[in-house]
Amino acid sequence: FDLISKFNTDYKYFDEDDERYEKPMYTALEILAKSGKPLELNIKLSFGNPEKKCLPSTIKWLTAWKKLGGKVIINSDAHFASRIGLDFDKAKEVLKQIGYTSTLILTPNGFMEVAI
């Protein structure tokens, strides 16, 4: 969801609050929620703007995902070792503001829930 918003800063190409964009997003989230799989909060996309602020679309889809009971895993999408874990603190704060108290981590035994 954030890849589109990353390049649509300040809605320069289209209005992300338009029903024609939002309705398919919410429909996709509902279908994904039924799968029971977590969604990735990709730091590089979600905070990939020059101001390092969370994209409005991130808040929108995370809030909808939370209402659907969806779980989240944070991913730094690091292309360099020095960037692993970068901005995790920002991601955790956003998740807390939305109402999440935990996130998932991937272990050799599968996903494990951990407190934020």
Side-chain angles (χ1 to χ4, degrees):
F1 301 108
D2 286 340
L3 186 56
I4 294 168
S5 296
K6 179 181 176 184
F7 296 105
N8 192 38
T9 308
D10 297 323
Y11 296 1
K12 65 182 170 187
Y13 297 115
F14 69 97
D15 181 0
E16 292 178 31
D17 296 323
D18 189 297
E19 182 181 314
R20 292 173 294 173
Y21 176 75
E22 281 190 336
K23 189 174 179 181
M25 180 189 73
Y26 291 127
T27 300
L29 286 172
E30 289 171 0
I31 292 168
L32 290 167
K34 291 176 185 171
S35 76
K37 304 278 193 266
L39 283 187
E40 170 195 64
L41 174 53
N42 183 316
I43 300 297
K44 186 175 176 186
L45 291 178
S46 302
F47 295 92
N49 53 60
E51 297 88 27
K52 291 287 187 184
K53 293 189 301 186
C54 189
L55 293 171
S57 65
T58 302
I59 303 297
K60 188 183 296 187
W61 70 257
L62 278 173
T63 301
W65 188 241
K66 171 75 173 131
K67 288 178 183 174
L68 292 167
K71 305 285 184 184
V72 176
I73 185 167
I74 302 171
N75 176 15
S76 59
D77 191 14
H79 292 232
F80 303 97
S82 62
R83 297 187 58 83
I84 295 175
L86 188 67
D87 291 332
F88 268 47
D89 55 337
K90 292 178 184 177
K92 289 178 183 178
E93 282 306 310
V94 168
L95 290 172
K96 283 181 186 178
Q97 290 170 9
I98 291 169
Y100 281 93
T101 57
S102 65
T103 185
L104 299 177
I105 60 171
L106 186 58
T107 72
N109 298 318
F111 289 111
M112 182 174 84
E113 196 163 353
V114 295
I116 295 177

